[in-house]
PDB file of all heavy atoms in Angstrom:
ATOM      1  N   LEU A  80      -3.975  -5.032  -8.005  1.00  0.00           N
ATOM      2  CA  LEU A  80      -4.269  -5.666  -6.682  1.00  0.00           C
ATOM      3  C   LEU A  80      -4.704  -7.093  -6.778  1.00  0.00           C
ATOM      4  O   LEU A  80      -4.749  -7.683  -7.938  1.00  0.00           O
ATOM      5  CB  LEU A  80      -5.316  -4.895  -5.956  1.00  0.00           C
ATOM      6  CG  LEU A  80      -4.907  -3.387  -5.562  1.00  0.00           C
ATOM      7  CD1 LEU A  80      -5.996  -2.701  -4.753  1.00  0.00           C
ATOM      8  CD2 LEU A  80      -3.625  -3.328  -4.813  1.00  0.00           C
ATOM      9  N   SER A  81      -5.068  -7.691  -5.661  1.00  0.00           N
ATOM     10  CA  SER A  81      -5.086  -9.154  -5.595  1.00  0.00           C
ATOM     11  C   SER A  81      -6.250  -9.790  -6.368  1.00  0.00           C
ATOM     12  O   SER A  81      -6.066 -10.793  -6.963  1.00  0.00           O
ATOM     13  CB  SER A  81      -5.183  -9.611  -4.088  1.00  0.00           C
ATOM     14  OG  SER A  81      -6.234  -8.937  -3.441  1.00  0.00           O
ATOM     15  N   SER A 124       2.125  -5.989   1.394  1.00  0.00           N
ATOM     16  CA  SER A 124       0.768  -6.281   1.779  1.00  0.00           C
ATOM     17  C   SER A 124       0.667  -7.585   2.589  1.00  0.00           C
ATOM     18  O   SER A 124       1.526  -8.471   2.546  1.00  0.00           O
ATOM     19  CB  SER A 124       0.009  -6.498   0.469  1.00  0.00           C
ATOM     20  OG  SER A 124      -1.251  -7.143   0.669  1.00  0.00           O
ATOM     21  N   TYR A 154      -0.665 -11.541  -6.939  1.00  0.00           N
ATOM     22  CA  TYR A 154      -0.333 -10.233  -6.275  1.00  0.00           C
ATOM     23  C   TYR A 154       0.567 -10.483  -5.107  1.00  0.00           C
ATOM     24  O   TYR A 154       1.582  -9.827  -4.851  1.00  0.00           O
ATOM     25  CB  TYR A 154      -1.612  -9.552  -6.012  1.00  0.00           C
ATOM     26  CG  TYR A 154      -1.476  -8.280  -5.105  1.00  0.00           C
ATOM     27  CD1 TYR A 154      -1.125  -7.076  -5.678  1.00  0.00           C
ATOM     28  CD2 TYR A 154      -1.797  -8.409  -3.754  1.00  0.00           C
ATOM     29  CE1 TYR A 154      -0.944  -5.915  -4.837  1.00  0.00           C
ATOM     30  CE2 TYR A 154      -1.728  -7.239  -2.972  1.00  0.00           C
ATOM     31  CZ  TYR A 154      -1.318  -6.052  -3.463  1.00  0.00           C
ATOM     32  OH  TYR A 154      -1.221  -4.892  -2.725  1.00  0.00           O
ATOM     33  N   GLY A 193      -5.566  -4.298   5.088  1.00  0.00           N
ATOM     34  CA  GLY A 193      -6.599  -3.712   4.286  1.00  0.00           C
ATOM     35  C   GLY A 193      -6.748  -2.217   4.643  1.00  0.00           C
ATOM     36  O   GLY A 193      -6.577  -1.906   5.778  1.00  0.00           O
ATOM     37  N   GLY A 204      -9.121  -5.036  -5.293  1.00  0.00           N
ATOM     38  CA  GLY A 204      -8.581  -5.627  -4.107  1.00  0.00           C
ATOM     39  C   GLY A 204      -9.512  -6.701  -3.512  1.00  0.00           C
ATOM     40  O   GLY A 204     -10.681  -6.868  -3.976  1.00  0.00           O
ATOM     41  N   THR A 205      -8.997  -7.432  -2.543  1.00  0.00           N
ATOM     42  CA  THR A 205      -9.873  -8.428  -1.878  1.00  0.00           C
ATOM     43  C   THR A 205     -10.326  -7.993  -0.467  1.00  0.00           C
ATOM     44  O   THR A 205     -11.249  -8.585   0.052  1.00  0.00           O
ATOM     45  CB  THR A 205      -9.138  -9.752  -1.797  1.00  0.00           C
ATOM     46  OG1 THR A 205      -8.487 -10.039  -3.092  1.00  0.00           O
ATOM     47  CG2 THR A 205     -10.142 -10.927  -1.636  1.00  0.00           C
ATOM     48  N   SER A 206      -9.601  -6.984   0.067  1.00  0.00           N
ATOM     49  CA  SER A 206     -10.052  -6.418   1.356  1.00  0.00           C
ATOM     50  C   SER A 206     -11.119  -5.318   1.034  1.00  0.00           C
ATOM     51  O   SER A 206     -11.544  -4.648   1.975  1.00  0.00           O
ATOM     52  CB  SER A 206      -8.866  -5.746   2.057  1.00  0.00           C
ATOM     53  OG  SER A 206      -8.248  -4.782   1.358  1.00  0.00           O
ATOM     54  N   ASP A 207     -11.528  -5.185  -0.217  1.00  0.00           N
ATOM     55  CA  ASP A 207     -12.462  -4.163  -0.594  1.00  0.00           C
ATOM     56  C   ASP A 207     -13.841  -4.210   0.056  1.00  0.00           C
ATOM     57  O   ASP A 207     -14.606  -3.281   0.047  1.00  0.00           O
ATOM     58  CB  ASP A 207     -12.743  -4.150  -2.105  1.00  0.00           C
ATOM     59  CG  ASP A 207     -11.487  -3.840  -2.828  1.00  0.00           C
ATOM     60  OD1 ASP A 207     -10.364  -3.670  -2.315  1.00  0.00           O
ATOM     61  OD2 ASP A 207     -11.522  -3.728  -4.046  1.00  0.00           O
ATOM     62  N   TRP A 300      -5.286 -15.055   4.327  1.00  0.00           N
ATOM     63  CA  TRP A 300      -4.607 -13.912   4.877  1.00  0.00           C
ATOM     64  C   TRP A 300      -4.649 -14.091   6.504  1.00  0.00           C
ATOM     65  O   TRP A 300      -5.679 -14.504   6.981  1.00  0.00           O
ATOM     66  CB  TRP A 300      -5.126 -12.624   4.444  1.00  0.00           C
ATOM     67  CG  TRP A 300      -4.863 -12.336   3.005  1.00  0.00           C
ATOM     68  CD1 TRP A 300      -3.987 -13.088   2.201  1.00  0.00           C
ATOM     69  CD2 TRP A 300      -5.349 -11.333   2.205  1.00  0.00           C
ATOM     70  NE1 TRP A 300      -3.933 -12.498   0.892  1.00  0.00           N
ATOM     71  CE2 TRP A 300      -4.775 -11.417   0.841  1.00  0.00           C
ATOM     72  CE3 TRP A 300      -6.337 -10.323   2.370  1.00  0.00           C
ATOM     73  CZ2 TRP A 300      -5.073 -10.609  -0.178  1.00  0.00           C
ATOM     74  CZ3 TRP A 300      -6.542  -9.397   1.363  1.00  0.00           C
ATOM     75  CH2 TRP A 300      -5.989  -9.573   0.085  1.00  0.00           C
TER      76      TRP A 300
HETATM   77  N1  LIG B   1      -5.835  -4.462  -0.083  1.00  0.00           N
HETATM   78  C1  LIG B   1      -5.108  -5.196  -1.072  1.00  0.00           C
HETATM   79  C2  LIG B   1      -5.901  -6.209  -1.805  1.00  0.00           C
HETATM   80  O1  LIG B   1      -7.023  -6.470  -1.342  1.00  0.00           O
HETATM   81  C3  LIG B   1      -4.109  -6.073  -0.320  1.00  0.00           C
HETATM   82  O2  LIG B   1      -2.898  -5.349  -0.260  1.00  0.00           O
HETATM   83  O3  LIG B   1      -5.596  -6.689  -2.795  1.00  0.00           O
END
Side-chain angles (χ1 to χ4, degrees):
L80 297 186
S81 56
S124 165
Y154 171 78
T205 317
S206 58
D207 296 4
W300 290 351

